[in-house]
Amino acid sequence: MVCTMPILRALLRVARAVRRPSQGPAGLPADDEVLLDAPDERLSPALVAAALGEYGPAAKLMATTRDGAEWENRDRYLGRLVAFARSRDGWLTDWLAAAPHDPDALLVKAQLAVRRAWESPARAEQLREVGPLISAAAESDPRDPVPWRLALDHARGTHATHTTFEALWGQAIQRSSHHYGCHVAALRYLSAAWYGSHRECFDFAERAAEDSLPGSLVQALPLRAAFALLIEGPGTRTTSVQEERIDAAADLAIALSASFEPGDPWSAEVRNLLAFVLVGRGRWDEALEQFRRIGPHAASFPWSSVSEDPLGRFLEARDDTRLRVACAAPFAGRADRGGPGGHYA
């Protein structure tokens, strides 16, 4: 069987532009049903209110996560609120004016300042200036590990020493020993792109995953290490040992993905990352299964790392995966074509 995949992809793109079906093939949602970074039912009202200049629902949401020690949810919601505040922060200004010492408002303020500093050409200098904001957020609620995740990101950007970073790491895990965001921040510090190596990255990630709780997102940490290696650059050669570690990380993440319901928005980013790595390894059938489990929940990460159009890149990778699986599958009834009752009988 000759698989004319480039032609098929071109035809599919044209067909999609002319008419998008309501039901996608291979058990996948149609392209026009897929949403990028769609908020869940808790975050959505907060974002709608913020668009109207009202901070009340965001304040209530963040307070609820703090009161209930929902540290993973708190970190995730923080990132989404800050992403919105980057372009429209009037609601945050009003919130800080009304409650200047509110731990939740201080946390959003600090994360926004860190995000803007990272985007500045004078990154290290700008990050040093926002250090007091992180300290204020950390002091406002000593239980909260999320400000310490900010501190870890801040330390990486300001070229902090290993000793300083280790001290911050100790403070973070003292508050939540399995906090995924803090582990990701540490992994980035140890990455080959910053102050470590791929080996250190995998060593840390694999040990953390072994020590994590069942169903913890920390079990996806080796997948992060695999991703860092895969996107290092075109032409990068991987050793057989590295490839084994990448595949082992994917296997662990597949088991983690199976513990969540299909279409679950909570696990969407991990599943998007898993699909990316499986595609990178040419494990097409497993990648297609993850695209099915992702459902309509495309995530900016990791696709934004390789494209300025993350949703388009997600859909392209999904199409490519589906086509490769289809091309590898034998035609139904192909073996009967020459026999009695076959097509050519």
Side-chain angles (χ1 to χ4, degrees):
M1 174 184 178
V2 177
C3 187
T4 55
M5 289 183 58
I7 299 174
L8 285 171
R9 282 198 292 268
L11 290 173
L12 282 171
R13 281 196 294 270
V14 173
R16 190 160 57 238
V18 174
R19 179 180 61 85
R20 294 176 180 267
S22 59
Q23 274 287 341
L28 302 170
D31 286 3
D32 58 358
E33 294 175 350
V34 177
L35 300 175
L36 186 69
D37 299 328
D40 64 19
E41 68 279 359
R42 297 175 71 187
L43 178 62
S44 184
L47 292 177
V48 171
L52 299 174
E54 301 170 4
Y55 65 84
K60 181 178 180 181
L61 174 63
M62 294 301 287
T64 299
T65 62
R66 179 165 48 87
D67 292 342
E70 300 177 43
W71 306 130
E72 301 290 5
N73 280 328
R74 182 173 178 77
D75 207 357
R76 181 173 61 147
Y77 292 145
L78 172 66
R80 298 298 303 281
L81 289 169
V82 166
F84 184 84
R86 286 170 64 193
S87 56
R88 300 182 66 175
D89 61 359
W91 59 277
L92 177 57
T93 301
D94 291 345
W95 185 5
L96 288 163
H101 303 295
D102 185 320
D104 308 311
L106 290 173
L107 182 60
V108 177
K109 178 182 179 181
Q111 173 72 86
L112 179 59
V114 169
R115 180 74 63 86
R116 287 173 170 167
W118 269 97
E119 295 169 351
S120 169
R123 176 193 296 163
E125 180 181 347
Q126 292 291 321
L127 281 171
R128 291 188 185 97
E129 293 179 3
V130 305
L133 298 180
I134 300 173
S135 297
E139 292 166 3
S140 66
D141 189 338
R143 303 172 306 142
D144 189 356
V146 181
W148 294 97
R149 193 266 301 158
L150 291 183
L152 292 170
D153 288 336
H154 178 265
R156 176 166 54 94
T158 55
H159 310 294
T161 65
H162 281 35
T163 301
T164 299
F165 193 89
E166 287 170 9
L168 294 172
W169 171 247
Q171 292 289 336
I173 61 172
Q174 180 181 328
R175 287 158 175 80
S176 180
S177 57
H178 301 288
H179 185 262
Y180 180 60
C182 290
H183 278 78
V184 170
L187 192 73
R188 286 171 173 161
Y189 185 88
L190 292 171
S191 70
W194 287 91
Y195 308 111
S197 65
H198 290 305
R199 181 175 180 177
E200 288 176 290
C201 212
F202 270 110
D203 286 348
F204 171 77
E206 289 167 355
R207 283 197 302 268
E210 287 174 5
D211 294 339
S212 66
L213 299 172
S216 169
L217 293 181
V218 174
Q219 292 182 20
L221 210 62
L223 194 69
R224 286 263 187 171
F227 169 77
L229 179 57
L230 287 174
I231 65 165
E232 189 172 61
T236 301
R237 288 184 175 272
T238 54
T239 67
S240 59
V241 172
Q242 286 175 328
E243 290 174 357
E244 288 175 6
R245 296 180 95 167
I246 292 171
D247 285 332
D251 292 341
L252 183 60
I254 288 172
L256 177 63
S257 173
S259 70
F260 296 102
E261 291 294 324
D264 175 33
W266 168 249
S267 58
E269 184 175 282
V270 166
R271 281 174 168 158
N272 274 254
L273 180 59
L274 176 54
F276 183 101
V277 171
L278 290 170
V279 166
R281 293 293 295 149
R283 294 170 60 171
W284 304 110
D285 289 288
E286 292 162 303
L288 183 61
E289 175 59 23
Q290 291 309 312
F291 280 119
R292 291 192 184 105
R293 287 182 170 272
I294 288 166
H297 297 289
S300 291
F301 179 79
W303 313 105
S304 60
S305 302
V306 293
S307 173
E308 294 182 357
D309 177 16
L311 179 56
R313 185 68 189 90
F314 169 88
L315 294 174
E316 182 180 310
R318 196 179 69 157
D319 272 354
D320 189 36
T321 300
R322 179 176 57 80
L323 287 169
R324 286 180 181 272
V325 171
C327 288
F331 284 122
R334 181 171 179 172
D336 296 330
R337 283 186 175 179
H343 184 72
Y344 297 104

